[in-house]
Amino acid sequence: MLKVMQALSEAVVSGDIDNIMRLTEEALRCSASPKETIDVGLMPGMDRVGSLFRTGEMFIPEVLLSARTMQMAMNVLRPHLMGGDVRNQGSVVIGTVQGDLHDIGKNLVRMMLEAAGFNVIDLGTDVPPEKFIEAIKAHHPQILGLSALLTTTMRNMAVVIDTLRESGIRHLIKVMVGGAPVTGDFAKSIGADGYAPNAVVAVDMAKILVRG
Ligand code: B1M
């Protein structure tokens, strides 16, 4: 199984869109769970992409290809993530905050929430505060999920929370935040109700938040 996990990591790094779906299916055939496939195969590849990008050994078009490759693998995993506890746990409006185009982690959180029985309304990336407010008024979710991957955009999470307050609806919703630069301390400092470092904890946190 280790071999296929290494092959998955390498496929993400090299942006091997021709083989990623076959390799992901192979991992599942070798009895790897979707979570193992993500944590041991795909994520290490994406982390390596991050390091190579930081040191200037990889450039944006290549990073985009890696991102696309990872998304293709996640599309294969998606149906396998479903079918666990499918009771309706509540609704979540989720999005990546304004100025930020990163969506792989947010999509993973969405998939895991859906798999756990949440109804998720995904607003996509680069979402302005007003769009979050509109969606909350339209869908009445219990949770608002905000994702940010840049140190420059994580401050926009605070802007969304301020806008909720100004709109008089802050008390109606729990806010969960996450993304690589976000920490528990940061979450507290902006008045969020919950923080999750990864998609698995995001599901646990969402369950805690809906229970009140
Ligand atoms: Co960008 N990028 N990027 N990038 N990129 C990072 C984030 C960076 C760390 C790379 C680096 O320098 N090493 C760096 C940020 C530095 C910083 O701010 N400190 C960076 C930069 C600088 C940039 C640009 C500014 C580059 C440029 O243009 N010069 C630019 C910004 C564009 C913009 O957003 N306005 C940019 C662009 C891009 C691409 C478009 C090329 C592409 C994104 C494609 C896409 O998402 N569709 C991209 C990518 C792929 C990355 C890296 C390599 C990978 C991110 C990723 O998908 N990780 C990233 C380096 C890295 O993180 N290793 C990097 C995998 C993903 C599953 O993890 O998103 O952390 P993550 O999600 C996790 C948790 O964080 C958590 O759960 C997820 C699953 O476990 N989580 C939540 C996430 N959201 C959550 C929400 C929750 C709870 C948990 O509750 C609601």
Side-chain angles (χ1 to χ4, degrees), residues 43 50 54 60 99 101-105 147 149-151 179-180 196-199:
M43 281 298 276
R54 203 166 29 239
I60 287 178
L101 301 174
H102 295 85
D103 66 357
I104 297 175
S147 182
L149 262 285
L150 300 171
T151 44
N198 58 53

Side-chain angles (χ1 to χ4, degrees), residues 107-149:
N107 292 346
L108 201 49
V109 171
R110 183 193 70 209
M111 277 167 54
M112 298 291 278
L113 286 170
E114 284 173 344
F118 284 90
N119 172 37
V120 184
I121 298 110
D122 186 352
L123 304 182
T125 60
D126 190 15
V127 182
E130 311 77 54
K131 205 168 156 197
F132 283 115
I133 306 295
E134 268 170 39
I136 292 165
K137 287 183 175 167
H139 300 285
H140 309 289
Q142 288 86 351
I143 299 175
L144 172 64
L146 303 174
S147 182
L149 262 285

